[in-house]
Amino acid sequence: MEGTGLRRNLILFGPPGSGKGTQAELLRQRHGLDHVAPGDMLREHRAAGTELGRMASSYMEAGKLVPDEVIVRMIRERLEAGSSPGGFVLDGFPRTVGQARELQAMLAEMERPLDLVVVLDVPEADLVERLGKRAGLEQREDDRPEVVGQRLAVYHEQTEPVLQYLGDQVPVVRIDATTSAEVVNQNLMRVLI
Ligand code: ADP
């Protein structure tokens, strides 16, 4: 590794409200990692009124996952479009075992293998509280209480199994993410250096 220090291709893994987006953004700003977040990309598509955005809307409003093939195509294009020399942080992908398989195949093809999966650990009760607060602040319609329950159920049913799948192939570390964003960032940096 030369000069710039950390070079990591990583997945930030955790339930909705665990702070993946905040941490990924800090890694981008402070360490130049490419922040790849399908949720943000989909919201941009919706705001721009593209066909993809219109198609994704009904799933997002219901707290359900957008079909794998759509997401995988979007991520593939995103990763192919630019490669940050500092590495990338995937925030909100993969969310199904099918997505994880496709990811591993595409990264092997691109010769940009994953270095690490970081799990942000937050108890369920805290998540519900955090998302409730965010609903007021950011006006994200999927933070409404009735949709939050659905998103957490999807996480347990479809996304948690991804950890088992990836855990056989990539190192996994868990971080306590109940503290402030700064403290979580410090703990995260410790496992990245
Ligand atoms: P959070 O992690 O707080 O749930 P995101 O912004 O990552 O929020 O995702 C918002 C919504 O976007 C999801 O509920 C889902 O409808 C859609 N979405 C995001 N990432 C994926 C993905 N990898 N696969 C399928 N749908 C996704």
Side-chain angles (χ1 to χ4, degrees), residues 14-18 20-21 37-40 42-43 56-68 71-72 74-75 91-96 99 131 134 140 142-143 147 151 154:
S18 56
K20 301 183 295 293
D40 291 346
L42 292 171
R43 279 186 288 278
S57 284
S58 55
Y59 295 98
M60 296 173 77
E61 281 163 22
K64 298 195 168 137
L65 296 182
V66 175
D68 280 0
I71 296 288
V72 167
M74 189 176 79
I75 295 294
D91 156 19
F93 181 86
R95 270 173 137 106
T96 65
Q99 291 179 12
L131 292 167
R134 192 168 78 182
R140 256 180 67 171
D142 62 347
D143 285 339
V147 185
R151 284 161 62 207
V154 165

Side-chain angles (χ1 to χ4, degrees), residues 74-87:
M74 189 176 79
I75 295 294
R76 178 189 292 279
E77 283 169 9
R78 174 73 172 74
L79 287 174
E80 280 172 355
S83 67
S84 159

Side-chain angles (χ1 to χ4, degrees), residues 56-178:
S57 284
S58 55
Y59 295 98
M60 296 173 77
E61 281 163 22
K64 298 195 168 137
L65 296 182
V66 175
D68 280 0
E69 58 188 79
V70 175
I71 296 288
V72 167
R73 194 181 322 126
M74 189 176 79
I75 295 294
R76 178 189 292 279
E77 283 169 9
R78 174 73 172 74
L79 287 174
E80 280 172 355
S83 67
S84 159
F88 58 78
V89 47
L90 297 175
D91 156 19
F93 181 86
R95 270 173 137 106
T96 65
V97 172
Q99 291 179 12
R101 284 208 189 93
E102 297 268 6
L103 174 68
Q104 288 295 67
M106 76 174 90
L107 292 179
E109 222 174 88
M110 294 176 197
E111 299 183 354
R112 296 164 76 188
L114 284 172
D115 294 307
L116 191 65
V117 177
V118 181
V119 183
L120 299 182
D121 260 331
V122 180
E124 188 113 351
D126 296 23
L127 297 172
V128 173
E129 194 191 318
R130 284 185 185 188
L131 292 167
K133 279 191 191 140
R134 192 168 78 182
L137 292 173
E138 288 185 20
Q139 308 277 326
R140 256 180 67 171
E141 60 198 354
D142 62 347
D143 285 339
R144 282 179 294 134
E146 59 277 25
V147 185
V148 164
Q150 170 66 23
R151 284 161 62 207
L152 290 171
V154 165
Y155 177 76
H156 292 310
E157 283 160 26
Q158 301 190 59
T159 305
E160 269 180 345
V162 170
L163 209 46
Q164 259 148 321
Y165 172 79
L166 286 175
D168 289 337
Q169 307 175 28
V170 187
V172 176
V173 295
R174 306 189 81 94
I175 288 190
D176 171 14
T178 58

